[in-house]
Amino acid sequence: MQIFIGIEASPLLSELPDFEEFLQLAATPLLVHENIYIYNDQKIADIASGLLSEAELHEETHHLIKTEGSAREDFYDYGFQAGVDTFLFAYDLSAFRFTGGSEVQTEMALLQLEEHLVFTTVEGIYFTIDHYTDLVLGIVKAYEVKVEFLDLDK
């Protein structure tokens, strides 16, 4: 998992091709997905945000997690595919991994959790909506397995 910054511009930006070109030259993004400019450098993201704010075209700043794995039912409410890359919006999500318990009990807990998962990474990290944290804790307790929640700010 890698953390990125997504600067979301107003859809009106597409009607200002000269300004859009200037933005991409002044603060070159790694990737552009629809109207989200994706950066891995906070300073460059701040420049883009500042330029868009001055032009009253800044919509929102997102903390994005680039990862690989399997999308679940609610994925497109909390993430997007940009070419071969998968990004999750860190806000409103929590992530956990299993740290203890039998394999059978872990599989049973996962079956119970399935409908509440947003994304599963290839490394075995599970993303769910933040307000499901207590539900996750209740399910893993019932199946006598342990999980560790991860800090998505790092």
Side-chain angles (χ1 to χ4, degrees):
M1 291 188 317
Q2 296 172 293
I3 303 296
F4 289 82
I5 303 104
I7 306 297
E8 186 173 351
S10 166
L12 295 174
L13 180 62
S14 64
E15 296 175 19
L16 304 166
D18 290 340
F19 183 76
E20 187 173 12
E21 183 180 338
F22 171 71
L23 173 67
Q24 290 200 33
L25 288 172
T28 305
L30 291 175
L31 182 66
V32 178
H33 173 72
E34 296 176 357
N35 58 331
I36 299 176
Y37 291 75
I38 301 170
Y39 300 92
N40 68 347
D41 183 301
Q42 186 65 55
K43 288 180 184 178
I44 298 172
D46 290 343
I47 291 169
S49 178
L51 289 170
L52 288 167
S53 292
E54 272 190 52
E56 297 182 5
L57 295 170
H58 181 263
E59 291 283 318
E60 195 169 345
T61 298
H62 304 281
H63 286 75
L64 302 173
I65 299 167
K66 181 180 172 187
T67 190
E68 295 178 28
S70 303
R72 305 301 180 145
E73 188 173 327
D74 292 332
F75 169 74
Y76 288 103
D77 292 334
Y78 298 94
F80 59 90
Q81 295 272 164
V84 297
D85 297 320
T86 302
F87 292 91
L88 299 169
F89 296 104
Y91 183 73
D92 284 341
L93 291 179
S94 62
F96 65 92
R97 64 176 155 223
F98 287 90
T99 59
S102 75
E103 188 175 325
V104 171
Q105 292 300 94
T106 300
E107 287 178 23
M108 296 301 292
L110 275 172
L111 284 173
Q112 188 78 33
L113 289 166
E114 181 69 29
E115 67 187 82
H116 305 293
L117 297 177
V118 172
F119 196 84
T120 303
T121 71
V122 294
E123 297 94 4
I125 296 172
Y126 301 89
F127 286 86
T128 188
I129 302 166
D130 198 35
H131 67 263
Y132 288 156
T133 300
D134 289 338
L135 176 68
V136 169
L137 290 171
I139 291 171
V140 299
K141 182 179 180 182
Y143 285 97
E144 300 177 348
V145 295
K146 294 181 181 176
V147 295
E148 170 191 21
F149 281 87
L150 308 174
D151 184 358
L152 296 180
D153 291 334
K154 295 184 179 184

